[in-house]
Amino acid sequence: PYSERTLENMELAKVIRIIHNEHPEKGYRGINNDLLREHDIHVNDKRVLHICQYERIQSTIKHSANSITKRADRPYTLLKTS
């Protein structure tokens, strides 16, 4: 007795799995683009992300984090000691 939404997500997960098997380097955004372009399925990014997380589908390529705000190696305090 699954809900209609759950059944839709299960069908969508099958298509997402097929796309991931063909292109394992794609993340959820690339998979969502393929769903729209090749399969004519319009889905929200967050829904694809949640399905990928539930199915444990991850991109095989990880990009390094280029952050401007990095944690300091030696954090300092602004308190003056007397």
Side-chain angles (χ1 to χ4, degrees):
Y2 293 112
S3 67
E4 185 177 333
R5 185 68 165 193
T6 303
L7 293 174
E8 288 177 8
N9 286 342
M10 291 167 79
E11 290 298 318
L12 192 56
K14 291 178 186 175
V15 179
I16 288 173
R17 179 65 67 187
I18 291 169
I19 293 172
H20 177 71
N21 289 339
E22 292 174 359
H23 305 284
E25 72 279 356
K26 290 190 178 183
Y28 75 96
R29 290 181 180 152
I31 290 173
N32 193 20
N33 289 339
D34 280 359
L35 285 172
L36 184 60
R37 293 179 185 156
E38 297 176 9
H39 299 277
D40 200 30
I41 301 172
H42 179 71
V43 199
N44 191 327
D45 273 350
K46 291 179 189 175
R47 186 172 175 192
V48 175
L49 173 63
H50 289 292
I51 292 172
C52 286
Q53 288 173 340
Y54 184 78
E55 296 287 323
R56 300 190 186 275
I57 295 173
Q58 293 182 340
S59 171
T60 56
I61 297 176
K62 299 294 179 193
H63 300 282
S64 62
N66 295 326
S67 176
I68 295 173
T69 57
K70 292 184 179 179
R71 287 190 173 183
D73 290 336
R74 295 181 183 174
Y76 62 94
T77 60
L78 298 176
L79 299 174
K80 292 185 179 182
T81 57
S82 44

mmCIF file of all heavy atoms in Angstrom, residues 10 15 21 29-30 39 45 61 72 76 80:
data_model
loop_
_atom_site.group_PDB
_atom_site.id
_atom_site.type_symbol
_atom_site.label_atom_id
_atom_site.label_comp_id
_atom_site.label_asym_id
_atom_site.label_seq_id
_atom_site.Cartn_x
_atom_site.Cartn_y
_atom_site.Cartn_z
ATOM 1 N N MET A 10 9.691 5.736 -6.977
ATOM 2 C CA MET A 10 10.308 4.444 -7.300
ATOM 3 C C MET A 10 10.571 4.322 -8.796
ATOM 4 O O MET A 10 11.625 3.838 -9.213
ATOM 5 C CB MET A 10 9.414 3.312 -6.802
ATOM 6 C CG MET A 10 9.351 3.216 -5.284
ATOM 7 S SD MET A 10 8.054 2.148 -4.683
ATOM 8 C CE MET A 10 8.793 0.549 -4.930
ATOM 9 N N VAL A 15 14.873 5.243 -13.450
ATOM 10 C CA VAL A 15 15.438 6.036 -14.547
ATOM 11 C C VAL A 15 16.744 6.686 -14.103
ATOM 12 O O VAL A 15 17.718 6.717 -14.858
ATOM 13 C CB VAL A 15 14.416 7.107 -15.019
ATOM 14 C CG1 VAL A 15 15.004 7.952 -16.131
ATOM 15 C CG2 VAL A 15 13.126 6.451 -15.483
ATOM 16 N N ASN A 21 24.239 4.644 -14.265
ATOM 17 C CA ASN A 21 25.045 3.539 -14.790
ATOM 18 C C ASN A 21 25.719 3.914 -16.104
ATOM 19 O O ASN A 21 26.829 3.475 -16.380
ATOM 20 C CB ASN A 21 24.189 2.290 -14.951
ATOM 21 C CG ASN A 21 23.819 1.681 -13.617
ATOM 22 O OD1 ASN A 21 24.473 1.912 -12.605
ATOM 23 N ND2 ASN A 21 22.747 0.913 -13.602
ATOM 24 N N ARG A 29 22.697 17.119 -10.215
ATOM 25 C CA ARG A 29 22.327 18.188 -11.143
ATOM 26 C C ARG A 29 22.439 17.722 -12.596
ATOM 27 O O ARG A 29 21.579 18.014 -13.423
ATOM 28 C CB ARG A 29 23.201 19.410 -10.918
ATOM 29 C CG ARG A 29 22.894 20.095 -9.614
ATOM 30 C CD ARG A 29 23.767 21.312 -9.428
ATOM 31 N NE ARG A 29 23.453 21.964 -8.171
ATOM 32 C CZ ARG A 29 24.307 22.679 -7.482
ATOM 33 N NH1 ARG A 29 25.542 22.843 -7.934
ATOM 34 N NH2 ARG A 29 23.949 23.250 -6.353
ATOM 35 N N GLY A 30 23.511 16.996 -12.899
ATOM 36 C CA GLY A 30 23.657 16.447 -14.246
ATOM 37 C C GLY A 30 22.591 15.417 -14.565
ATOM 38 O O GLY A 30 22.091 15.352 -15.691
ATOM 39 N N HIS A 39 14.822 12.447 -21.346
ATOM 40 C CA HIS A 39 13.649 11.650 -20.975
ATOM 41 C C HIS A 39 12.384 12.497 -20.842
ATOM 42 O O HIS A 39 11.316 11.956 -20.568
ATOM 43 C CB HIS A 39 13.914 10.915 -19.652
ATOM 44 C CG HIS A 39 15.077 9.974 -19.736
ATOM 45 N ND1 HIS A 39 14.954 8.696 -20.236
ATOM 46 C CD2 HIS A 39 16.381 10.127 -19.410
ATOM 47 C CE1 HIS A 39 16.136 8.091 -20.193
ATOM 48 N NE2 HIS A 39 17.021 8.946 -19.699
ATOM 49 N N ASP A 45 15.262 19.815 -8.516
ATOM 50 C CA ASP A 45 16.606 19.369 -8.133
ATOM 51 C C ASP A 45 16.606 18.666 -6.783
ATOM 52 O O ASP A 45 17.281 17.655 -6.595
ATOM 53 C CB ASP A 45 17.565 20.565 -8.047
ATOM 54 C CG ASP A 45 18.200 20.907 -9.379
ATOM 55 O OD1 ASP A 45 18.053 20.111 -10.323
ATOM 56 O OD2 ASP A 45 18.843 21.960 -9.468
ATOM 57 N N ILE A 61 33.303 11.517 -9.450
ATOM 58 C CA ILE A 61 34.275 12.605 -9.471
ATOM 59 C C ILE A 61 33.935 13.569 -8.355
ATOM 60 O O ILE A 61 32.806 14.013 -8.219
ATOM 61 C CB ILE A 61 34.245 13.351 -10.826
ATOM 62 C CG1 ILE A 61 34.653 12.410 -11.940
ATOM 63 C CG2 ILE A 61 35.144 14.569 -10.781
ATOM 64 C CD1 ILE A 61 34.565 13.022 -13.301
ATOM 65 N N ALA A 72 40.977 29.092 10.165
ATOM 66 C CA ALA A 72 42.373 29.413 10.451
ATOM 67 C C ALA A 72 43.053 28.212 11.090
ATOM 68 O O ALA A 72 42.444 27.453 11.836
ATOM 69 C CB ALA A 72 42.454 30.614 11.373
ATOM 70 N N TYR A 76 42.513 32.797 16.651
ATOM 71 C CA TYR A 76 42.904 33.734 17.706
ATOM 72 C C TYR A 76 41.657 34.361 18.299
ATOM 73 O O TYR A 76 40.603 34.359 17.711
ATOM 74 C CB TYR A 76 43.844 34.803 17.144
ATOM 75 C CG TYR A 76 43.214 35.648 16.061
ATOM 76 C CD1 TYR A 76 42.601 36.860 16.380
ATOM 77 C CD2 TYR A 76 43.241 35.251 14.741
ATOM 78 C CE1 TYR A 76 42.021 37.626 15.388
ATOM 79 C CE2 TYR A 76 42.659 36.000 13.747
ATOM 80 C CZ TYR A 76 42.044 37.197 14.077
ATOM 81 O OH TYR A 76 41.470 37.952 13.102
ATOM 82 N N LYS A 80 41.792 40.980 25.066
ATOM 83 C CA LYS A 80 43.136 41.424 25.479
ATOM 84 C C LYS A 80 43.397 40.925 26.884
ATOM 85 O O LYS A 80 42.568 41.039 27.773
ATOM 86 C CB LYS A 80 43.230 42.942 25.442
ATOM 87 C CG LYS A 80 43.172 43.483 24.056
ATOM 88 C CD LYS A 80 43.387 44.972 24.066
ATOM 89 C CE LYS A 80 43.346 45.506 22.646
ATOM 90 N NZ LYS A 80 43.600 46.930 22.580
#
